[in-house]
Amino acid sequence: MNEHDIQLVKETLQHVKKICVVSHFNPDGDAMGSALALYHYFREDGYEVSVILPNAYPDFLRWMDGSDEIIIAQEHLTKARIAIKEADMLFVVDMNAPHRAGQDLQNNISKFSGFKVLIDHHVQPDIVCDVMYSTHLTSSASELVFNFLYRYLSPGRPYSKAIAEALFVGIITDTGSMSYACDYPETYQVLGSLIASGINGEEIHQKVYSNYTESRLRLMGLALSRLTIMPEQGASYMYLSKQDLIDNNFQIGDTEGFVNYGMTIKGVEFTAFFVERDARIRVSFRSKGKVDVNQFARRHYSGGGHHNAAGAFYHGSIEDAIAHFEEVVQKGEY
């Protein structure tokens, strides 16, 4: 952020009362962490703050302070739309375009008439905001929120346990427990300062990674049994059908992180994970090194994301989605 943007945000905050924070469909730890950190920060300053998520968040994040105050648009759409409309200031976090919040909220975000701020770490943002704090050269949106709040708005201000925990969750989940997208000294400095504030990093890690449902473990086993390796292309993929989810009592968040297992195989530099949901297939991509899955997702699936992590939707059957993937990969079009 430049000095002009910082001053613009500070001046605007002097004249607003209601703040709304919105993040992407199928919210993960970073969406939750960045949104809840903003929620607690501005609540401490006396603002009326609403957090809106398009659909339910994973059960293993339910312990986070403030999670019970989040408005789930899929369950309370009118309330969510009113909260956005009546807000004086809107924060769009961890997403680079309004459509990532889903059709129910897309227009409300695009047409918001108040002061709009983007805080995001995805490439090629496609949204118009008054202030855009966007860079893909960082671990997570949560790290950017830390910078926004404690380096730009109020340097030296202490952070509460709720804020520190929220930011910690966002950073560790969006880096796979510091196993990717984490080769930045600044990220470790932020984590160090959060730990120094008094939070228990080990306990938080246990709550996030040792608090899964039985359905998640059963679905993980099924997905791994479907693992297909394409050795000549250095690629792999897994899939779960809609019936698989039904048979194993799927809950929101159960398949979070499954795609990463396809990258643990020697010689694999590119992987995909397909999940059939209703009339479309959710596809997650991961890669190593020079394989740019953001460009792959954009070129072949109208999706996008980061250089080594991206996602998209495929409209059609699970069989067609897999066949399409195999075809383009065998042609070396990645």
Side-chain angles (χ1 to χ4, degrees):
M1 288 182 68
N2 57 46
E3 188 61 32
H4 175 268
D5 285 344
I6 296 170
Q7 291 305 315
L8 186 57
V9 172
K10 288 182 176 180
E11 291 171 6
T12 302
L13 286 169
Q14 295 178 13
H15 306 288
V16 304
K17 294 181 179 180
K18 294 184 178 182
I19 295 174
C20 188
V21 185
V22 64
S23 194
H24 60 78
F25 198 84
N26 289 339
D28 54 11
D30 193 25
M32 290 278 287
S34 55
L36 287 175
L38 290 167
Y39 170 80
H40 289 296
Y41 179 93
F42 289 118
R43 288 255 298 185
E44 289 175 4
D45 284 347
Y47 295 95
E48 184 178 332
V49 189
S50 300
V51 174
I52 297 173
L53 296 178
N55 63 333
Y57 51 83
D59 185 72
F60 60 83
L61 297 175
R62 196 168 297 278
W63 61 271
M64 295 177 69
D65 193 347
S67 64
D68 56 339
E69 298 295 326
I70 294 173
I71 301 171
I72 305 300
Q74 205 169 66
E75 301 169 7
H76 305 284
L77 182 56
T78 300
K79 185 177 181 180
R81 287 175 169 171
I82 290 175
I84 295 175
K85 182 179 180 179
E86 294 185 347
D88 306 304
M89 194 172 191
L90 178 66
F91 284 87
V92 179
V93 297
D94 197 32
M95 64 179 194
N96 60 356
H99 74 264
R100 292 203 61 209
Q103 293 181 351
D104 288 340
L105 298 178
Q106 180 176 348
N107 288 338
N108 300 87
I109 295 170
S110 297
K111 297 178 180 179
F112 178 73
S113 59
F115 193 90
K116 193 186 306 182
V117 179
L118 173 71
I119 304 179
D120 181 58
H121 68 131
H122 296 86
V123 298
Q124 298 173 288
D126 185 18
I127 185 173
V128 177
C129 293
D130 298 279
V131 168
M132 299 183 66
Y133 182 25
S134 174
T135 173
H136 67 280
L137 299 176
T138 191
S139 70
S140 55
S142 292
E143 184 177 342
L144 292 181
V145 167
F146 176 91
N147 294 338
F148 178 81
L149 297 178
Y150 298 106
R151 289 182 177 164
Y152 301 136
L153 289 192
S154 53
R157 171 172 164 171
Y159 19 95
S160 65
K161 179 183 178 182
I163 293 174
E165 287 184 339
L167 295 174
F168 191 89
V169 168
I171 294 173
I172 66 169
T173 54
D174 235 34
T175 59
S177 293
M178 308 307 289
S179 63
Y180 53 80
C182 60
D183 200 20
Y184 310 108
E186 296 82 3
T187 303
Y188 295 89
Q189 292 168 7
V190 171
L191 287 175
S193 67
L194 296 176
I195 293 293
S197 73
I199 64 173
N200 189 326
E202 183 177 342
E203 180 181 333
I204 294 172
H205 194 280
Q206 290 294 319
K207 288 180 177 179
V208 173
Y209 291 106
S210 300
N211 195 24
Y212 292 140
T213 61
E214 177 185 348
S215 55
R216 174 182 169 86
L217 271 295
R218 295 192 181 282
L219 285 167
M220 183 187 297
L222 184 56
L224 289 171
S225 73
R226 304 255 182 77
L227 175 66
T228 299
I229 302 173
M230 305 172 69
E232 294 184 3
Q233 290 78 27
S236 68
Y237 67 83
M238 300 185 298
Y239 73 92
L240 290 171
S241 69
K242 182 178 179 180
Q243 193 60 48
D244 293 331
L245 304 186
I246 294 172
D247 292 344
N248 289 279
N249 301 311
F250 170 80
Q251 297 181 40
I252 295 294
D254 274 350
T255 60
E256 183 75 24
F258 281 14
V259 63
N260 298 317
Y261 287 96
M263 293 300 298
T264 63
I265 305 160
K266 184 178 180 180
V268 170
E269 297 189 348
F270 176 36
T271 193
F273 177 51
F274 302 84
V275 182
E276 184 180 23
R277 298 291 303 275
D278 298 323
R280 60 185 183 178
I281 314 298
R282 171 67 182 177
V283 195
S284 299
F285 302 104
R286 295 292 185 273
S287 68
K288 298 175 184 175
K290 296 181 179 180
V291 179
D292 189 341
V293 290
N294 170 55
Q295 291 302 321
F296 181 88
R298 287 176 178 273
R299 187 180 306 120
H300 300 291
Y301 293 88
S302 298
H306 305 284
H307 181 89
N308 294 126
F313 289 106
Y314 181 90
H315 296 273
S317 69
I318 190 78
E319 293 82 9
D320 288 345
I322 292 171
H324 176 69
F325 176 78
E326 288 185 334
E327 180 182 357
V328 294
V329 170
Q330 287 170 352
K331 290 180 179 178
E333 297 179 358
Y334 62 93

